[in-house]
């Protein structure tokens, strides 16, 4: 067989179950952005909802609408909006919307949908990517309450994103978030009762290690895909198993070198051979062998093998194959990137659907 990617959905479901147990009583939202971190958004979304997640974080409104079209009726949260985002369609499809600014709030409030838009106001707690600054926050909250009075929005959440920086930075961001929540309460946002907005801040890292950051909901991503968010423990150490296995076949053998049928165009990072990295390996014939070249369509490894033999580029690690985490180390990048850049031109095969 030729190059392919296997996705073990049961491994993914077990990871989600374990994370949901860690987060409880906080709810679990699963991040499926970047096409489910390269695993395929729809099968991953379904598997997440079968195993303890009750909502999905989808980046933008078009992705949320694609999930709705596929029949997913769980809560969907989209937070990155462009100038041409069709808010009316998103609101009518009952997509919860992150809101970072008054401009966005007004576009959403005035979208003319036949129902109130569920909005989650974002405070910037240090990432400076988006979110309202502490100066702009009171006006954003006040105007959201006014739109709520008029039935155009429903204040469904207050949120931010922890940067996975140092513990000191995360503690500072948590304090900023708590201060912003207190400001919102002072302006009249109810903090008790059924109309209370959801508070959410943590992704994988804080969701696992910072209980005080869990609030109502944790937005888990990378840990569910079997990559640790921490430097001091790998995914297996966290009890997570990588669902993705990338396999390749020998297409040419010449002396002590063989070529495998995938390359940089399929997502194998050429930087593993650059100054920042070395030592990349694959599993071939039950042994780890060194990668010696990364071409566009092939990689070369130092090994003796026959055409048609199969190699594992990365996987969960239990047969001795490298993990995506190891590839990230060799390439000088993060595991998210190794997974998400795995090209869609490689067929995905779903196991344990
Ligand atoms: C990507 C993302 C997550 C998940 O982050 P991980 O570190 O992968 O767990 C959660 N929330 C938001 C807003 C994100 O962009």
């Amino acid at each position: 067989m030729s190059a392919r990617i296997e996705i073990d959905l049961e491994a993914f479901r077990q990871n989600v179950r374990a994370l949901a147990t860690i987060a409880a009583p906080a709810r679990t939202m699963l991040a499926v952005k970047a096409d489910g971190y390269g695993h395929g958004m729809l099968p991953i979304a379904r598997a997440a909802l079968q195993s303890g997640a009750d909502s999905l974080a989808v980046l933008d409104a078009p992705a949320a609408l694609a999930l709705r079209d596929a029949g997913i009726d769980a809560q969907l949260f989209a937070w990155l909006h462009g100038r041409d985002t069709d808010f009316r369609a998103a609101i009518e499809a009952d997509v919860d919307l992150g809101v970072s600014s008054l401009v966005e709030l007004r576009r959403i409030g005035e979208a003319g949908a036949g129902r109130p838009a569920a909005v989650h106001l974002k405070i910037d707690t240090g990432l400076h990517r988006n979110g309202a600054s502490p100066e702009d926050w009171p006006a954003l909250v006040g105007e959201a309450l006014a739109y709520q009075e008029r039935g155009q929005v429903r204040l469904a959440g207050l949120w931010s994103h922890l940067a996975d920086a140092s513990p000191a930075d995360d503690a500072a961001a948590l304090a900023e978030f708590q201060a912003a929540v207190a400001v919102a309460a002072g302006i009249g946002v109810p903090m008790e009762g059924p109309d209370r907005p959801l508070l959410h801040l943590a992704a994988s890292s804080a969701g696992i290690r910072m209980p005080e950051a869990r609030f109502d909901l944790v937005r888990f991503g990378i840990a569910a895909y079997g990559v640790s968010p921490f430097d001091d423990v790998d995914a297996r150490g966290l009890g997570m198993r990588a669902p993705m296995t990338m396999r390749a076949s020998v297409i040419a053998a010449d002396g002590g070198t063989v070529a495998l049928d995938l390359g940089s165009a399929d997502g194998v990072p050429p930087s593993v051979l650059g100054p920042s990295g070395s030592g990349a390996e694959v599993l071939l014939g039950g042994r780890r062998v060194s990668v010696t070249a990364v071409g566009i369509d092939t990689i070369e490894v130092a090994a003796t093998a026959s055409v048609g033999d199969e190699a594992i580029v990365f996987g969960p690690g239990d047969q001795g194959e490298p993990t995506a985490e190891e590839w990230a180390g060799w390439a000088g990048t993060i595991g998210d990137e190794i997974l998400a850049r795995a090209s869609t031109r490689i067929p995905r095969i779903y196991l344990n659907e």
Side-chain angles (χ1 to χ4, degrees):
M1 280 172 87
S2 45
R4 62 195 187 278
I5 289 174
E6 288 167 1
I7 312 282
D8 179 353
L9 289 173
E10 185 50 29
F12 179 76
R13 284 191 292 261
Q14 277 179 24
N15 295 342
V16 176
R17 272 184 217 116
L19 292 167
T21 302
I22 290 171
R27 293 167 45 191
T28 288
M29 176 181 276
L30 220 289
V32 299
K33 65 187 179 201
D35 196 28
Y37 292 56
H39 294 61
M41 180 172 71
L42 187 57
I44 281 293
R46 291 199 172 114
L49 295 170
Q50 287 163 358
S51 51
D54 63 6
S55 57
L56 303 169
V58 291
L59 193 73
D60 59 13
L65 293 175
L67 288 177
R68 283 282 181 262
D69 286 345
I72 303 276
D73 58 11
Q75 182 179 25
L76 302 179
F77 178 53
W79 66 90
L80 198 76
H81 313 303
R83 290 169 163 276
D84 56 353
T85 295
D86 183 350
F87 284 119
R88 184 175 174 155
I91 298 162
E92 281 171 353
D94 196 17
V95 176
D96 284 36
L97 298 168
V99 174
S100 283
S101 67
L102 272 178
V103 174
E104 270 178 13
L105 178 66
R106 289 175 185 153
R107 283 179 62 203
I108 290 167
E110 310 293 339
R115 57 187 296 162
V119 297
H120 298 235
L121 305 182
K122 183 174 186 191
I123 175 85
D124 180 7
T125 50
L127 268 187
H128 306 302
R129 281 210 296 245
N130 56 18
S133 66
E135 298 74 55
D136 295 340
W137 179 247
L140 184 64
V141 173
E143 197 153 327
L145 286 173
Y147 273 117
Q148 179 161 266
E149 285 284 304
R150 299 197 292 273
Q152 285 152 291
V153 310
R154 178 171 67 81
L155 188 45
L158 305 176
W159 73 293
S160 189
H161 190 56
L162 272 184
D164 291 354
S166 67
D169 289 343
D170 283 351
L174 173 64
E176 279 192 57
F177 182 67
Q178 285 166 322
V181 171
V183 167
I187 299 172
V189 174
M191 290 298 155
E192 316 249 325
D195 295 333
R196 166 181 100 75
L198 289 174
L199 306 182
H200 50 114
L201 176 65
S204 294
S205 145
I208 295 170
R209 282 211 177 146
M210 218 174 153
E212 66 277 26
R214 289 181 195 140
F215 296 97
D216 295 307
L217 174 78
V218 176
R219 304 182 310 268
F220 285 111
I222 194 63
Y225 299 92
V227 169
S228 171
F230 307 114
D231 292 334
D232 57 354
V233 56
D234 65 10
R236 295 218 286 180
L238 291 173
M240 302 290 143
R241 182 181 164 81
M244 183 186 286
T245 299
M246 184 184 272
R247 295 180 186 274
S249 295
V250 174
I251 48 165
D254 180 19
T257 301
V258 306
L260 303 174
D261 62 346
L262 46 70
S264 61
D266 302 296
V268 177
S271 58
V272 291
L273 299 173
S276 71
S278 64
E281 295 169 338
V282 302
L283 190 77
L284 180 58
R287 294 195 309 125
R288 288 214 186 186
V289 296
S290 294
V291 175
T292 53
V294 178
I296 294 176
D297 293 314
T298 59
I299 60 181
E300 284 177 11
V301 300
T304 307
S306 309
V307 171
D309 286 356
E310 291 225 336
I312 303 181
V313 180
F314 61 81
D318 38 1
Q319 298 173 60
E321 76 277 18
T323 60
E325 292 169 315
E326 284 176 83
W327 273 89
W330 294 326
T333 183
I334 54 174
D336 310 43
E337 202 187 321
I338 300 296
L339 298 178
R341 65 186 283 161
S343 162
T344 50
R345 82 178 190 176
I346 314 178
R348 303 292 195 271
I349 294 163
Y350 291 93
L351 308 178
N352 300 314
E353 261 182 296

